[in-house]
Amino acid sequence: MPPRSSTWAAFGAGVLSRAAGAGNPALGRRVALWAALPLWVPGLLTLTLTAGCASPNAPTAGAYAKLVMPVEPNYVTSGYPSAAGRSWVHGSLTVCLDRPGEVTVTDVTVLEGDLEVTGWALRDGRLRVNTGFVGDLPGTVASNAIPNTNAITEVCADNSYEVIVQLKAGTKTTEARGFVVHYESSHGERTLELPERLIVCVNVDVCKKP
């Protein structure tokens, strides 16, 4: 049996010939076009449907691990007196991943303000079971023997990491209005802002928190 395409082509050619012989070439052309439709219409539909379907393996937009806070953040204000030039470590907020993956923290800086950050650490949340948060301690990360990691690998449902900043009091009262955690993910460099106001009052007995 000849291919279907050959059958339709032959049929169209015969109709065209008979129509032309009858003095009606326009009819012949319309019939021949109709006869050829099964050849190209299915191919057109297939091309359109294929172009419109996304691959099931295509990456979902935004599907990479991000650093987040495990609970809805509230703006926290903390303050304490200090002698000029004294170093402190402060920890009260935690971070984790919103989905499985890994990010590497590269720095922790002040969002706004003149408080000097001289170091930082990320403390595994499991260490808080017996000791609680670091809170405010005189000295440095090293002098307080605070364990540190810069790789965050666990999601919020499993664990969180305490962000600890090492601070140095100035010659006058200074403050930080928020901190920024800088990190690298599979999508490049990213940041997470921590909503905390921290005031270090110098040469005063009571540090007021306006």
Side-chain angles (χ1 to χ4, degrees):
M1 178 181 290
R4 186 181 178 188
S5 59
S6 299
T7 303
W8 278 105
F11 174 77
V15 172
L16 177 62
S17 175
R18 288 192 296 274
N24 193 352
L27 174 62
R29 285 193 294 271
R30 286 196 296 272
V31 173
L33 177 62
W34 171 82
L37 281 177
L39 298 180
W40 58 270
V41 170
L44 177 63
L45 293 177
T46 301
L47 176 63
T48 303
L49 292 176
T50 301
C53 295
S55 168
N57 297 321
T60 303
Y64 60 94
K66 300 182 184 70
L67 199 62
V68 296
M69 299 184 70
V71 295
E72 188 68 24
N74 293 317
Y75 198 86
V76 178
T77 299
S78 302
Y80 48 89
S82 173
R86 171 174 284 187
S87 292
W88 293 82
V89 290
H90 170 83
S92 65
L93 299 177
T94 59
V95 296
C96 46
L97 298 182
D98 67 338
R99 69 193 72 196
E102 179 175 350
V103 304
T104 301
V105 175
T106 57
D107 202 3
V108 179
T109 59
V110 171
L111 176 62
E112 295 179 349
D114 53 0
L115 183 58
E116 184 180 1
V117 175
T118 58
W120 55 272
L122 294 169
R123 182 171 175 250
D124 192 308
R126 296 183 180 89
L127 300 177
R128 296 196 305 273
V129 174
N130 298 320
T131 62
F133 283 93
V134 166
D136 301 306
L137 296 173
T140 64
V141 169
S143 67
N144 284 283
I146 297 173
N148 179 33
T149 179
N150 64 345
I152 306 297
T153 59
E154 297 188 75
V155 297
C156 298
D158 297 333
N159 193 17
S160 62
Y161 301 76
E162 183 180 3
V163 180
I164 299 166
V165 287
Q166 178 178 295
L167 312 167
K168 186 176 181 181
T171 57
K172 60 181 180 63
T173 297
T174 55
E175 68 173 294
R177 295 180 295 277
F179 293 91
V180 182
V181 180
H182 303 257
Y183 68 97
E184 294 179 351
S185 72
S186 59
H187 261 49
E189 297 181 356
R190 294 289 186 270
T191 60
L192 172 67
E193 294 183 6
L194 305 181
E196 181 174 26
R197 183 185 183 197
L198 187 60
I199 307 170
V200 177
C201 303
V202 174
N203 297 328
V204 297
D205 295 329
V206 177
C207 189
K208 296 182 180 180
K209 298 180 290 185

